[in-house]
Amino acid sequence: DVVRDVIRKKGWVEVDEEADWQLCWTDTSVGLERLLKLKKTQKINHFSGMLEICRKKSLCRNISNMSKKCSEEYNFVPRSFLLPEGLDDLLAYLGTKNRRGKKPTTLILKPDNGCQGKGIRLLQTCKDVHNAMEYCEGTKAVVQTYLHRPFLINELKFDLRVYALVTSCDPLRIFLYDEGLVRFCTEKYQAPRQDNLNIACMHLTNYAVNKHNVNFEADNSTSDSLEGSKWSLNSLKEWMEANGQDWDNSTSD
């Protein structure tokens, strides 16, 4: 527990909420009423309204609104649908894209408040959509175009976990940590098709999904390494520079 390790190293004392505390660390959202009751010496690790960016549907809706005002800055956002209200639009989109003779379009569905890869499904047909909705039992979800030609390392998909500290919203003040994690899939990537859509360890980089795969490689060394199913950002930088990739240009974008 990193937070408790810091508490011990700082010589602080952990108390219950009824005590006269200075710092509150919570994993739940914080209401405005609670924030208004804070004393001048008290700090809490959440801003009111954080669910607007922490829930997938709200984040998608807010990004969509921003992209209408600043289209060039948000041109990286894939085509998105909010479920269940956007179900008809999604089915119509698939019907247009997947006309006979055309290569199927692949979409990815993520439950609104899901985590650790739970409930994520890849979709190519209207039947896939209906099956996913039945599986999710009508849960709110976001569906987006799946990037079917990702950048691979050792034939594996990967993603980046970057850590940012937001200390103020107005003015906006963000500190970006110079290290992070690179998380790899544990099955070699193949372009999505009906017979591999459900191979989670090929398409999803979540640690909670891949740690159970026999191909998962734990690297317990304390130094940067190019081994294992998790790398540091510095290891990725080393790999990219050794393989002719422009690290500085990639990170500046």
Side-chain angles (χ1 to χ4, degrees), residues 52-149:
E52 288 297 314
I53 61 174
C54 293
R55 288 285 186 265
K56 295 179 181 67
K57 283 189 68 174
S58 298
L59 175 63
C60 187
R61 186 182 299 110
N62 288 324
I63 288 180
S64 177
N65 291 336
M66 290 299 296
S67 65
K68 294 174 183 177
K69 298 181 178 180
C70 310
S71 57
E72 291 186 8
E73 286 80 0
Y74 287 85
N75 60 9
F76 63 91
V77 182
R79 180 69 184 269
S80 306
F81 301 87
L82 305 182
L83 298 184
E85 62 268 33
L87 179 59
D88 290 341
D89 290 338
L90 171 59
L91 295 175
Y93 175 79
L94 271 177
T96 300
K97 286 289 186 179
N98 294 346
R99 289 173 180 166
R100 184 173 298 179
K102 296 184 67 175
K103 189 174 182 179
T105 294
T106 306
L107 304 170
I108 185 167
L109 177 148
K110 296 183 178 183
D112 182 37
N113 62 345
C115 63
Q116 299 181 332
K118 297 173 183 175
I120 297 179
R121 307 287 290 269
L122 264 61
L123 319 167
Q124 285 187 333
T125 67
C126 293
K127 182 179 180 180
D128 291 338
V129 175
H130 288 300
N131 289 342
M133 292 295 290
E134 184 176 340
Y135 175 81
C136 294
E137 299 179 344
T139 299
K140 299 175 182 178
V142 169
V143 176
Q144 294 180 312
T145 304
Y146 183 69
L147 302 181
H148 64 282
R149 296 179 61 190

